[in-house]
Amino acid sequence: MDHNSPMIFDSSDGQDLRINMISPWLKKRFGCKVVKLALDGGFTCPNRDGSKGTGGCLFCSESGSGDMASSLESGHALQSQIELLSGKWPDAKYMAYFQNHTNTYAPAGELRRKFTAALEHPDVIGIAIATRPDCLPEDVLDYLEELNQSTFMWVELGLQTIHDETARAMNLCHYVSDYDAAVQNLLDRNIRVVTHLILGLPGETHEMMKASVQHVCARDVFGLKLHMLNVVRGSGMADVMPDYVPFASIDEYVDQLIDILEIIPPDITLHRISGDAPRSTLIAPEWSYKKRTILNTIHQEMRLRNTWQGKGLLK
């Protein structure tokens, strides 16, 4: 490739894509639009039930950062979401996304029952499982390995930061060593890993954020989720840091994000590059609910700068 020419990733609509976003990647893989169905499997978290801590991570909402998920226990969660989305994407397929709290924090038998129920729907072609890196015991890993052999799957690990001092301040109750061990255990079983990182955590400089990204990218992960920190009602941060603003403006966030995107290898899929909190619960940044504006600004600015994901690795 010409180092002065932009890296253009596959796009279903011919757009000039400079980020390897997961949506076009899935469309190329399955030949159709693939939509994630956010599900609440009724799990809790060791950082809420007292086994490791109470109150949850400081930035988590009461729903465990899954405010838009539907309860699997209702029996209609999958079908109701599919019916709602089928008008927009009549030929789409779906991934069951277990989002709320820690979705491997249960006996392997319970996981099997709930995950199997979601995968039984004929339009569901895969599963995404969000969890903590310290909640993958051997029997759960064995089950995930079995599941991975029968369906398309990835496991999402909520690392958030590699800096243990930040982890302690945010009451994560897990550390980078837990993450490194979890990634290795999953990769040893050929299971795709998607890692969550939060940008704008209190006390973290831009260089600290970049160091977290570099650490993750060195571990052969399938994907990354870059969350802009949102301070939301019902979280611990709303009580102890109600005036904290992680980024002063959209322009500041976009500038720092693009600098980070430039050091991410182009084969890593990006599953999120902004925040996603309901406006009704959002405290700060007050503009982060403007998801479309933020995304459009990111893509426009990357074109203006003639840059793309991974460009900084060519220097």
Side-chain angles (χ1 to χ4, degrees), residues 213-226:
V213 172
Q214 289 169 322
H215 183 93
V216 170
C217 290
R219 274 145 188 82
D220 197 27
V221 296
F222 168 65
L224 263 174
K225 273 190 173 181
L226 300 176

Side-chain angles (χ1 to χ4, degrees), residues 40-299:
D40 180 352
F43 300 103
T44 184
C45 174
N47 202 8
R48 289 176 179 265
D49 68 5
S51 63
K52 281 203 165 185
T54 57
C57 302
L58 213 59
F59 45 74
C60 267
S61 66
E62 293 178 358
S63 64
S65 295
D67 299 278
M68 301 178 188
S70 300
S71 173
L72 185 69
E73 302 299 331
S74 70
H76 304 289
L78 281 167
Q79 187 58 37
S80 61
Q81 287 193 60
I82 289 173
E83 289 174 359
L84 185 65
L85 295 166
S86 60
K88 185 174 183 180
W89 296 299
D91 300 319
K93 297 297 182 183
Y94 300 91
M95 287 190 67
Y97 177 35
F98 283 81
Q99 180 180 21
N100 294 53
H101 299 304
T102 304
N103 294 278
T104 60
Y105 189 49
E110 180 180 345
L111 302 183
R112 182 184 297 274
R113 177 176 62 82
K114 292 182 176 181
F115 297 166
T116 298
L119 286 164
E120 284 177 344
H121 193 286
D123 289 329
V124 173
I125 49 82
I127 188 169
I129 302 163
T131 191
R132 290 166 55 98
D134 58 344
C135 289
L136 290 166
E138 199 70 20
D139 62 331
V140 169
L141 285 166
D142 289 343
Y143 168 59
L144 293 178
E145 181 177 21
E146 175 190 333
L147 186 62
N148 189 54
Q149 293 169 356
S150 62
T151 191
F152 180 81
M153 185 180 85
W154 66 67
V155 172
E156 301 190 4
L157 296 178
L159 171 60
Q160 320 308 357
T161 178
I162 65 165
H163 305 289
D164 285 350
E165 64 271 27
T166 306
R168 282 189 287 270
M170 291 293 101
N171 194 41
L172 299 189
C173 296
H174 65 70
Y175 302 98
V176 67
S177 58
D178 298 308
Y179 169 79
D180 289 344
V183 170
Q184 193 58 56
N185 285 333
L186 291 166
L187 293 180
D188 286 347
R189 291 164 169 81
N190 297 313
I191 296 172
R192 297 175 188 85
V193 176
V194 175
T195 301
H196 294 220
L197 291 171
I198 293 179
L199 306 179
L201 288 168
E204 292 212 346
T205 64
H206 182 60
E207 292 306 312
M208 291 172 73
M209 292 182 241
K210 287 180 70 173
S212 289
V213 172
Q214 289 169 322
H215 183 93
V216 170
C217 290
R219 274 145 188 82
D220 197 27
V221 296
F222 168 65
L224 263 174
K225 273 190 173 181
L226 300 176
H227 301 256
M228 178 204 326
L229 176 66
N230 286 320
V231 182
V232 296
R233 293 178 179 84
S235 68
M237 284 197 72
D239 293 329
V240 301
M241 299 182 187
D243 299 321
Y244 179 72
V245 179
F247 297 96
S249 67
I250 292 177
D251 288 342
E252 180 189 356
Y253 177 72
V254 169
D255 185 62
Q256 295 202 33
L257 176 70
I258 290 175
D259 189 50
I260 287 171
L261 289 171
E262 289 179 335
I263 63 168
I264 298 173
D267 60 322
I268 292 178
T269 54
L270 270 293
H271 296 233
R272 178 170 292 173
I273 52 175
S274 67
D276 196 11
R279 190 174 182 180
S280 60
T281 64
L282 178 65
I283 297 175
E286 62 180 9
W287 43 263
S288 75
Y289 72 90
K290 300 177 180 179
K291 184 175 181 180
R292 182 52 53 192
T293 299
I294 296 167
L295 294 176
N296 287 342
T297 303
I298 292 166
H299 293 302

Side-chain angles (χ1 to χ4, degrees), residues 3-16:
H3 288 190
N4 295 314
S5 300
M7 171 75 79
I8 306 299
F9 297 99
D10 289 324
S11 171
S12 60
D13 55 9
Q15 285 187 328
D16 175 4

